[in-house]
Amino acid sequence: MDNGIGAEFHFQALRPDLILDAIESIGVFPETGLLALNSYENRVYQFRSDQGIRYVVKFYRPHRWSNEQIQEEHDYALALAAEDIPIAVPVVIEGKTLFEYQGYRFGLFPSIGGRAFEVDNLEQLESVGRFIGRIHQYGAMQPFKYRESLTPAILGDEPYRYLRESDIVSSSMQNAFFTVVEQVLDKAKKIWQQHSFTSIRLHGDLHPSNILWTPDGPGFVDLDDAKQGPAVQDLWMMLTGDRQQQLLQIDILLEGYQEFCDFDAKQLALIEPLRAFRMVHYNAWLAKRWQDPAFPMNFPWFGDIKYWEQQTLAFKEQLSALNEPPLSLPSFN
């Protein structure tokens, strides 16, 4: 769905007076100023209403998702919350969760307070695994109708083509960079094709920053990248450190996960391919958004020759990781 068109339409017109007018158009009246939150793909602001309620308003990047895809995201969040899963849900006003004002689509969410989720805290990790298991238990009941499926084409081939055609890579690094990226993609796709898996509804972008730790445990946010795909997609981004550390982390995650949902151990072989696809996708995402003024301001190092030297080295290391045996847990053997 994201074909780079969004790069032609920035958020310059989304000024504070327009944001406030949009919020007030749905009957919510901010009492405080707008606090911009750390989001680049969309524009997200926190405020307190005249009723003393803290909200987050999210303006969706134009042309990225269809109305049906955004609505399906909202409906999925509401359905998960109805299953007592602690996830940020859109506010329903007069039966609607997706609103429009002067061409901008937006949603309103209650603000979830909490501190950062600690991936090295094994007790927290097990609790997160338990809730991911519950999310997947529900997500496996039926497929998405409008959201994308996670595929090598979407995550790897299409971003790779965009990078080649964008001329964003420093000319002196193009040969070295694209040579190793091609090798990485070839290897990742071969591994992917060797494994069949059940495709389920996913959070899709479950990195630690999308989990807050509240007094009641984990709180999940941001279903913007919800997709169909293998269950391991919602697990692997919490794995850090060397192989032994990752083995411990995935073991703890799955200990909680499998209280609610079975896990196919063969999917562990998809971790490094998924990491490889994400690396390619990330670079293409920055390239696609480079005309948005927020990106050069927040990613000033992107495009510098040193960056492409570092990326070339990172892809060489990823190629080595793809050639290593996948993670394997004794309890699954």
Side-chain angles (χ1 to χ4, degrees), residues 2 8 12-13 20 53 62 74 76 92 102 111 119 142 167-168 189 194 204 206-207 229 259 285 288-289 304 333:
D2 183 4
E8 300 170 7
Q12 292 100 324
L20 292 171
I53 303 172
H74 288 185
Y76 188 47
V92 182
Q102 293 192 11
S111 177
V119 292
Q142 65 184 56
D167 206 31
I168 196 81
K189 287 187 289 187
Q194 290 168 0
L206 202 50
H207 53 76
E259 291 181 26
W285 173 68
K288 287 181 180 181
R289 302 294 183 245
D304 185 87
N333 293 334

Side-chain angles (χ1 to χ4, degrees), residues 79 85 96 99 115 127 130 178 186 211 305 310-311 322:
I85 293 168
K96 295 176 60 178
F99 311 101
R115 64 181 191 272
S127 179
R130 192 174 295 117
F178 286 119
D186 286 346
I211 303 172
I305 188 170
Q310 293 166 353
Q311 285 297 295
L322 287 163

